Amino acid sequence: MDEFVAGAHQDCCTNEGERKSHHSDKMKSNLISRLNRIEGQIRGVKGLIEKDTYCDDVLNQIAAIQSALNSVGKLLLEGHMKSCVIERIQAGDQEVIEELLVTVNKLMK
């Protein structure tokens, strides 16, 4: 996860009052590729349902999609923690901890 090296980016969390991320081009490309594959998998599941495919086969495809989405979430969370969260804590913003805990709880449901 070298894309999130401290000091290698601009102020991550705010830009004229708007919160934004600052992923490297490599990371963006990786995330977009993963999401494109997931999108294709979802279309595939839709096709399986339209073809009345055996339920267990469809459920296994859904499990694969969930796993792929979890992987994307883990990458984003790691980058967020290594960049925005650290920067905001260093700037004295302790609210980021509560925000992070809420997000992690949502991811773990």
Side-chain angles (χ1 to χ4, degrees):
M1 193 56 51
D2 295 329
E3 292 89 349
F4 296 104
V5 176
H9 47 69
Q10 64 193 35
D11 180 33
C12 76
C13 302
T14 56
N15 184 12
E16 300 174 13
E18 183 180 1
R19 295 190 326 175
K20 292 190 171 206
S21 66
H22 56 279
H23 305 295
S24 69
D25 289 342
K26 181 179 175 183
M27 176 56 81
K28 278 185 194 179
S29 177
N30 182 5
L31 292 170
I32 290 169
S33 292
R34 287 170 180 258
L35 291 169
N36 284 338
R37 275 194 301 272
I38 292 166
E39 187 177 21
Q41 287 176 297
I42 290 170
R43 281 193 301 273
V45 166
K46 182 180 174 188
L48 293 175
I49 291 171
E50 289 171 344
K51 295 176 190 171
D52 295 320
T53 302
Y54 184 61
C55 294
D56 191 61
D57 295 337
V58 177
L59 290 168
N60 282 314
Q61 289 302 309
I62 290 171
I65 293 166
Q66 288 172 328
S67 178
L69 274 174
N70 286 339
S71 292
V72 170
K74 287 176 191 175
L75 282 173
L76 284 168
L77 179 61
E78 181 179 344
H80 181 57
M81 291 177 72
K82 287 181 175 181
S83 58
C84 293
V85 172
I86 288 173
E87 287 181 11
R88 287 177 61 187
I89 289 171
Q90 289 173 342
D93 181 358
Q94 297 298 311
E95 291 177 20
V96 69
I97 300 296
E98 186 59 35
E99 177 185 282
L100 180 62
L101 291 171
V102 168
T103 299
V104 168
N105 281 325
K106 288 178 184 177
L107 286 171
M108 294 179 72
K109 284 186 177 182

